[in-house]
Amino acid sequence: MSLHFRWIAIETTTHCNSHCTVCPHGSLFRHPFTTMDNELFEKCLLEIAELHTVAEHIRFGGMGDPGCDNQLLERLRFMQKETPDLQPHVASNMASWKKRYSQAVIHEHLLPAMRFSLLGLTPEGSLRAYQRAEQGEQARRAIDTFLELNAQSAHPVRTELYTLLMADDQGEVEKIKAMYWHRVDAFEVWRPHSWSNLFPELRPSQKERRRCSKLINPEPVICVNGAVCPCSMDINRELAFGNLAEHSLQEIYQGAAWRHLVELNEQGLIETLPTCHGCTFLNADGSDVLIEHKG
């Protein structure tokens, strides 16, 4: 059985250098901080490339930041050589991003696009967003280096930047826009999301609901230990319906656990699951969460 995915996220690491105030990584994540075994990573990619289709890309991400994965370049080189039809996609807060990563990504054409996350720029904004006054400046230097190297090499990598409009923004988004709006290919301003129902105050939840799109058009997360989850909001893998360390994707998507999730969704009962109850992704209208964008 060949499967079709919009995208697949692979959590190559659960390490993260950041302590974002709108992220549950530091407070609610209940699993070890570790890195995916390279043999498991390669097994996942080879099966996907051989048997399945991915419309968009393979996302490097999950509960960790790819910049904290000390095997990142080796993984990207593996994809370039062994699975060239799969497009990798990396997003990073950039505060621990190494210059040699930028050099390799650009000069070796390892990524078609690079996505920067920047939530605070000034020391005050950085402290509110990251609980560290210096992180915004560290990220800015790494982003600027990437943009300069990319420009010097005839711009082989599409550059994207996103930020979040915090409740206590105090003009921080406008400062970030002033610095980067015209320097990157794509720019997005989002409202922070609620991580299913973990931070319900960050996005309003409407009364009118819809079916979960991630159970209709799969966008799974392959976790660092091989667990396959239907949604990136399931940070503690409570909805995992199989493990690629033990079975193939074909077997997992033919299993009873996946069928049970699909049936609950079809019956309008997906919110009976604690992880999904109150999830803002089930809002009938999510049009107000992307506030501003270009590209």
Side-chain angles (χ1 to χ4, degrees), residues 7 36 38 63 67 71 75 88 114 125 132 139 169 173-174 181 190 215 227-228 247 253 272:
W7 50 259
M36 179 179 277
N38 211 41
M63 285 312 296
Q71 299 182 67
R75 299 189 202 276
M114 180 71 198
R132 292 175 54 225
D169 172 65
V173 165
E174 290 304 313
W181 183 271
W190 292 86
L215 293 169
V228 182
H247 302 284
Y253 273 91
T272 60

Side-chain angles (χ1 to χ4, degrees), residues 5 35 38 40 45 50 78 88 101 111 120 135 141 144 148 151 171-172 198 205 211 222 225 274 277 282 288 294:
F5 304 95
T35 300
N38 211 41
L40 176 60
L45 267 295
E50 180 181 357
F78 173 84
Y101 286 3
L111 283 174
Q135 182 166 330
R141 290 198 300 267
D144 287 353
E148 291 163 7
E172 201 71 16
L198 298 180
S205 183
R211 300 290 188 265
I222 300 172
N225 66 344
H277 182 71
L282 300 174
D288 64 335
K294 76 157 196 174

Side-chain angles (χ1 to χ4, degrees), residues 10 12 38 41-42 45 58-61 66-67 69-91 97 100-106 108-114 146 157:
I10 298 185
T12 64
N38 211 41
F41 174 82
E42 293 179 2
L45 267 295
I58 301 293
R59 295 187 178 184
F60 281 61
D69 179 3
N70 58 13
Q71 299 182 67
L72 175 63
L73 295 182
E74 287 70 22
R75 299 189 202 276
L76 292 174
R77 288 169 180 143
F78 173 84
M79 289 190 68
Q80 185 183 68
K81 180 181 179 181
E82 302 295 339
T83 61
D85 292 334
L86 295 178
Q87 296 293 309
H89 186 274
V90 168
W97 188 265
R100 66 181 180 87
Y101 286 3
S102 297
Q103 292 170 326
V105 162
I106 293 165
E108 298 178 38
H109 302 277
L110 296 178
L111 283 174
M114 180 71 198
F146 192 102
V157 181

Side-chain angles (χ1 to χ4, degrees), residues 109-124:
H109 302 277
L110 296 178
L111 283 174
M114 180 71 198
R115 186 170 176 86
F116 314 124
S117 166
L118 186 60
L119 309 185
L121 190 60
T122 66
E124 298 78 15

Side-chain angles (χ1 to χ4, degrees), residues 11-174:
E11 183 184 66
T12 64
T13 184
T14 50
H15 290 289
C16 186
N17 58 297
S18 189
H19 298 282
C20 300
T21 56
V22 292
C23 177
H25 180 273
S27 57
L28 298 174
F29 183 57
R30 301 195 300 266
H31 293 272
F33 297 134
T34 185
T35 300
M36 179 179 277
D37 177 78
N38 211 41
E39 183 177 347
L40 176 60
F41 174 82
E42 293 179 2
K43 173 183 182 291
C44 296
L45 267 295
L46 290 173
E47 182 192 340
I48 294 166
E50 180 181 357
L51 299 175
H52 311 302
T53 58
V54 180
E56 295 184 12
H57 46 242
I58 301 293
R59 295 187 178 184
F60 281 61
M63 285 312 296
D65 190 284
C68 297
D69 179 3
N70 58 13
Q71 299 182 67
L72 175 63
L73 295 182
E74 287 70 22
R75 299 189 202 276
L76 292 174
R77 288 169 180 143
F78 173 84
M79 289 190 68
Q80 185 183 68
K81 180 181 179 181
E82 302 295 339
T83 61
D85 292 334
L86 295 178
Q87 296 293 309
H89 186 274
V90 168
S92 174
N93 65 56
M94 299 302 286
S96 65
W97 188 265
K98 302 173 180 61
K99 182 177 180 179
R100 66 181 180 87
Y101 286 3
S102 297
Q103 292 170 326
V105 162
I106 293 165
H107 297 151
E108 298 178 38
H109 302 277
L110 296 178
L111 283 174
M114 180 71 198
R115 186 170 176 86
F116 314 124
S117 166
L118 186 60
L119 309 185
L121 190 60
T122 66
E124 298 78 15
S126 179
L127 188 62
R128 290 194 300 272
Y130 304 120
Q131 305 177 64
R132 292 175 54 225
E134 70 277 9
Q135 182 166 330
E137 175 61 17
Q138 292 170 345
R140 183 199 64 77
R141 290 198 300 267
I143 294 171
D144 287 353
T145 296
F146 192 102
L147 294 176
E148 291 163 7
L149 291 171
N150 201 39
Q152 292 166 9
S153 299
H155 206 89
V157 181
R158 172 181 165 87
T159 56
E160 307 166 356
L161 188 148
Y162 80 89
T163 188
L164 304 177
L165 181 63
M166 308 289 194
D168 54 351
D169 172 65
Q170 299 185 29
E172 201 71 16
V173 165
E174 290 304 313

Side-chain angles (χ1 to χ4, degrees), residues 195-196 223 229-240 275:
W195 291 94
S196 182
C223 299
C229 295
C231 177
S232 58
M233 301 296 101
D234 180 21
I235 66 166
N236 285 310
R237 306 161 190 167
E238 294 174 2
L239 302 180
T275 302

